[in-house]
Amino acid sequence: MHSHLNDMANHKSALKRIRQNEVRKVRNRYYHKTARTALKVLRNEENKAAATEQLPKVIALLDKLAKKNIIHKNKASNLKSKLTKHVNKLA
């Protein structure tokens, strides 16, 4: 994990920056993966009532990711639009 520390200047600030970046990278990857799983679950949902209940939660999740710049805000909008259409199409 800390092999890349030797390649850089050993300034205190640089070392701290590396630690912070590592923590953020792991956290962002977790958020992103969680969101993708939630999207998949919603896309595979056949029951309209269940899908309608899940949609606002997924939309909130996407908005949070967009706000934190984990995904682009336009990507979030496109996903929300597609998912809403998908849910409305369910019988």
Side-chain angles (χ1 to χ4, degrees), residues 27-68:
R27 189 180 299 140
N28 289 345
R29 191 186 290 152
Y30 167 75
Y31 287 145
H32 201 166
K33 186 69 181 151
T34 308
R36 283 204 299 254
T37 310
L39 291 173
K40 197 195 269 179
V41 168
L42 182 54
R43 280 197 194 110
N44 294 333
E45 183 61 66
E46 300 294 328
N47 180 351
K48 184 165 177 116
T52 311
E53 192 195 321
Q54 282 175 6
L55 186 64
K57 293 174 186 160
V58 174
I59 286 179
L61 199 65
L62 290 171
D63 284 337
K64 267 185 212 151
L65 291 185
K67 191 175 180 203
K68 292 180 185 169

Side-chain angles (χ1 to χ4, degrees), residues 2 7 12 21 27 35 37-38 40 42 48 56-57 60 63 73-74 80 82 86-87:
H2 294 294
D7 310 340
K12 224 171 178 180
N21 288 341
R27 189 180 299 140
T37 310
K40 197 195 269 179
L42 182 54
K48 184 165 177 116
K57 293 174 186 160
D63 284 337
K73 67 178 196 291
N74 292 357
K80 290 191 299 192
K82 273 192 176 147
H86 168 72
V87 169

Side-chain angles (χ1 to χ4, degrees), residues 73-90:
K73 67 178 196 291
N74 292 357
K75 183 187 172 78
S77 293
N78 287 334
L79 284 170
K80 290 191 299 192
S81 160
K82 273 192 176 147
L83 288 169
T84 306
K85 276 183 181 169
H86 168 72
V87 169
N88 290 339
K89 243 192 270 181
L90 290 176

